[in-house]
């Protein structure tokens, strides 16, 4: 069966769903194709931190009601090292900007509900997605839905299918340059049923490695531990995880982690990855399909949001004014922010993690950087403005 739309969107993550909503506001139709089920995308635990710009956009689009009610605005974060905590007053250093802790799967739920309420088309559980003819003016996507072979003809294709998606692979090797860096550690993430141990996020550097205290709700904490990326989660009993968190987070004034049952745990690898350009013919990549950052700077979801804002704007000008300049500039426009975020995420990661082969010199350098960051207003401001997010057109 053949169907047609203006913009074929592969992937119903934050990037793909938000793009479909932004396009709908301008009267531009799209169809979203997603390989997983609705239930799966609405329950996968991932990011938690939304930049001020992401929050403002969602609110401005009328998508922020539950986020305002259930999310938590944070005006500072703590950097913890050598047994002491140091607050970075984000809002004070950035003219009142802040971050909001609101889980990614709740963002996804809000986006799916809003798009379906508009009568928008999201096809879940699609299989065998293949992108063709992106160099022509009539690209199309072949896929299987409910056992039926389908062909979606479009004007443009948005590859919003994440790091493991298919869109990127339809760009010939001669049309892309890939930049990567892998890190010799991963994060072990848990969800723990216990009230928040702190009012703000804690990024801790310790002899035993990095630890991060975040939150999900008044009853649920989200915590991360630096670990070996090859480690098997089965090697980490709940007791071991709690002990390691307590040691890495210990302070001289005897701060206590509130503990409870661990209800979910997993290990994720960390990498930096960028593909240039983020476009090939009529195929535009957005979000994790085009770039990955290590999670320490909390930038991935927010970068995905920034990409699709630019893409929606460029497509709108194409359809309304027949302009192609913003589409042509899309990749360069996005890559400026992407590389800023790559640097920030690499910098936070390098400052806060223990490197397996690091010597005493490297550790002294990390301490010097931490000390400078918490004691110089200029250094703290640099961290703060990156963390709350640079304006969309900075
Ligand atoms: P995804 O969310 O990966 O969505 C892609 C979608 O495409 C998926 O639903 C997938 O099923 C679908 N798909 C894949 N292949 C196909 C196919 N062939 N056909 C159809 N559909 C397909 N970012 C932040 O900003 N702040 C944070 O605090 C933060 N913390 C994080 C913590 C963790 C533990 C992790 C893992 C990530 C974190 N991130 C954070 C990063 C953030 O989760 C990602 O950057 C974000 O999900 C990117 O959104 P996306 O829409 O580009 O891709
Ligand atoms: C969370 C994730 C991050 O990567 C981060 O830097 C801060 C918080 C979280 O999942 O809550």
């Amino acid at each position: 069966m053949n169907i047609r739309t203006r913009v074929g969107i592969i992937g119903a993550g934050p990037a793909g769903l938000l793009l479909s909503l932004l396009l709908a506001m301008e009267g531009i139709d799209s169809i979203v194709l997603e390989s997983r089920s609705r239930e799966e995308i609405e329950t996968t635990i991932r990011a938690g931190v939304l930049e001020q710009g992401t929050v403002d956009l969602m609110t401005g689009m009328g998508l922020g009601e539950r986020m305002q009610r259930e999310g938590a605005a944070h005006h500072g974060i703590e950097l913890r090292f050598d047994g002491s905590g140091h607050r970075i007053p984000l809002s004070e250093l950035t003219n009142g900007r802040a971050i909001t802790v609101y889980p990614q799967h709740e963002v996804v739920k809000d986006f799916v509900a809003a798009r379906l309420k508009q009568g928008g088309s999201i096809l879940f559980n699609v299989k065998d997605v293949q992108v063709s003819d992106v160099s022509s003016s009539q690209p199309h996507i072949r896929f299987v839905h409910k056992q039926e072979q389908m062909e979606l003809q479009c004007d443009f294709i948005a590859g919003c299918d994440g790091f493991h998606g298919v869109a990127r692979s339809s760009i010939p090797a001669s049309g892309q340059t890939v930049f990567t860096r892998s890190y010799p550690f991963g994060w072990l993430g848990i969800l723990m049923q216990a009230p928040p141990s702190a009012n703000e996020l804690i990024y801790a550097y310790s002899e035993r490695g990095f630890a991060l205290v975040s939150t999900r709700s008044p009853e649920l904490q989200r915590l991360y531990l630096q670990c070996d990326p090859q480690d098997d989660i089965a090697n980490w009993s709940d007791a071991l995880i709690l002990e390691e968190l307590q040691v890495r987070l210990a302070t001289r004034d005897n701060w206590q982690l509130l503990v409870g049952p661990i209800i979910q745990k997993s290990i994720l690898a960390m990498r930096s990855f960028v593909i240039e350009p983020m476009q090939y013919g009529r195929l535009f990549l957005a979000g994790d399909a085009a770039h990955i950052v290590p999670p320490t700077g909390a930038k991935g979801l927010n970068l995905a949001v920034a990409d699709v804002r630019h893409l929606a704007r460029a497509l709108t000008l194409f359809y309304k004014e027949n302009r192609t300049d913003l589409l042509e500039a899309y990749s360069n426009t996005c890559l400026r922010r992407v590389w800023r975020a790559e640097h920030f995420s690499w910098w936070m990661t390098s400052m806060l993690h223990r490197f397996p082969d690091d010597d005493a010199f490297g550790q002294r350098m990390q301490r010097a950087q931490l000390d400078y960051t918490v004691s110089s207003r200029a250094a703290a401001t640099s961290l703060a403005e990156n963390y709350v997010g640079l304006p969309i057109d900075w």
Side-chain angles (χ1 to χ4, degrees):
M1 188 166 120
N2 283 357
I3 46 177
R4 209 199 123 68
T5 190
R6 281 177 155 179
V7 184
I9 301 176
I10 311 175
L17 292 166
L18 183 61
L19 179 62
S20 70
L21 288 159
L22 286 165
L23 292 175
M25 281 172 63
E26 301 293 343
I28 300 167
D29 63 291
S30 66
I31 294 181
V32 179
L33 308 177
E34 167 58 52
S35 55
R36 293 185 295 160
S37 68
R38 178 175 180 182
E39 199 203 338
E40 217 179 327
I41 63 165
E42 291 187 345
T43 50
T44 305
I45 306 295
R46 291 186 74 177
V49 174
L50 305 183
E51 291 178 356
Q52 182 73 56
T54 302
V55 169
D56 291 347
L57 176 75
M58 284 174 61
T59 307
M61 292 173 72
L63 299 168
E65 195 208 320
R66 215 160 58 87
M67 172 183 65
Q68 303 292 352
R69 209 173 50 238
E70 296 174 20
H74 287 210
H75 300 279
I77 56 168
E78 181 180 321
L79 293 186
R80 187 175 286 188
F81 56 98
D82 291 342
S84 302
H86 306 262
R87 183 169 189 264
I88 306 287
L90 298 173
S91 301
E92 195 187 308
L93 297 169
T94 60
N95 293 321
R97 292 166 76 79
I99 53 141
T100 295
V101 180
Y102 184 62
Q104 177 168 333
H105 65 276
E106 302 295 349
V107 172
V108 165
K109 271 190 216 165
D110 294 346
F111 287 177
V112 169
R115 189 66 192 121
L116 294 179
K117 197 169 159 204
Q118 293 171 345
S121 182
I122 307 173
L123 305 184
F124 296 100
N125 300 306
V126 302
K127 293 191 180 63
D128 303 333
V129 173
Q130 284 172 17
V131 172
S132 329
D133 291 342
V134 289
S135 307
S136 78
S137 58
Q138 288 296 307
H140 52 268
I141 311 172
R142 288 204 187 86
F143 62 98
V144 174
H145 184 54
K146 297 185 176 163
Q147 271 115 47
E148 193 175 350
Q149 179 67 51
M150 313 276 288
E151 186 169 308
L152 175 62
Q153 280 155 2
C154 350
D155 299 336
F156 297 96
I157 297 175
C160 301
D161 48 352
F163 184 65
H164 301 287
V166 292
R168 201 174 57 235
S169 60
S170 58
I171 302 180
S174 59
Q176 53 170 288
T177 308
V178 168
F179 302 84
T180 52
R181 178 156 295 191
S182 62
Y183 299 84
F185 33 75
W187 275 14
L188 190 168
I190 65 163
L191 280 176
M192 181 163 75
Q193 276 173 334
S197 298
N199 293 330
E200 295 176 342
L201 271 59
I202 303 170
Y203 287 81
Y205 170 86
S206 88
E207 300 273 303
R208 304 263 282 258
F210 172 72
L212 169 59
V213 179
S214 181
T215 169
R216 281 294 177 267
S217 70
E219 302 84 36
L220 210 53
Q221 289 186 45
R222 177 73 166 149
L223 300 126
Y224 298 98
L225 278 175
Q226 174 184 348
C227 66
D228 179 340
Q230 312 298 341
D231 209 346
D232 185 343
I233 193 68
N235 295 331
W236 288 83
S237 67
D238 292 0
L240 184 62
I241 293 171
L242 289 181
E243 188 192 314
E244 201 56 36
L245 281 166
Q246 275 151 347
V247 173
R248 295 186 193 188
L249 291 161
T251 60
R252 270 184 259 122
D253 62 3
N254 213 14
W255 178 88
Q256 289 300 315
L257 179 74
L258 300 179
V259 300
I262 295 175
I263 56 168
Q264 204 248 5
K265 52 184 173 182
S266 60
I267 290 177
L268 61 123
M270 287 168 78
R271 63 168 73 81
S272 304
F273 167 90
V274 181
I275 179 169
E276 289 191 6
M278 289 167 55
Q279 179 216 348
Y280 185 77
R282 291 230 168 181
L283 169 67
F284 290 82
L285 301 177
D288 279 14
H291 41 72
I292 296 286
V293 287
T296 326
K299 287 284 151 255
L301 186 160
N302 294 291
L303 274 182
V305 168
D307 288 351
V308 295
R309 288 180 81 169
H310 288 301
L311 186 53
R313 205 189 275 174
L315 289 166
T316 302
L317 284 183
F318 174 83
Y319 284 112
K320 299 233 154 120
E321 298 177 22
N322 211 11
R323 275 174 57 183
T324 55
D325 53 329
L326 290 199
L327 284 172
E328 283 152 19
Y330 169 75
S331 180
N332 284 343
T333 307
C334 291
L335 283 169
R336 180 161 182 248
R337 171 182 287 268
V338 167
W339 280 111
R340 175 86 293 281
E342 287 292 347
H343 179 270
F344 177 67
S345 307
W346 163 85
W347 176 76
M348 286 280 279
T349 302
S350 309
M351 177 169 72
L352 288 162
H353 291 71
R354 286 298 284 253
F355 286 75
D357 55 356
D358 213 359
D359 55 4
F361 186 87
Q363 289 159 25
R364 290 286 195 283
M365 300 266 277
Q366 286 175 312
R367 281 211 168 67
Q369 185 62 49
L370 282 162
D371 182 29
Y372 177 56
T373 305
V374 301
S375 38
S376 152
R377 191 175 171 88
T381 304
S382 173
L383 188 159
E385 82 166 351
N386 280 280
Y387 195 79
V388 300
L390 290 155
I392 186 76
D393 290 316
W394 67 286

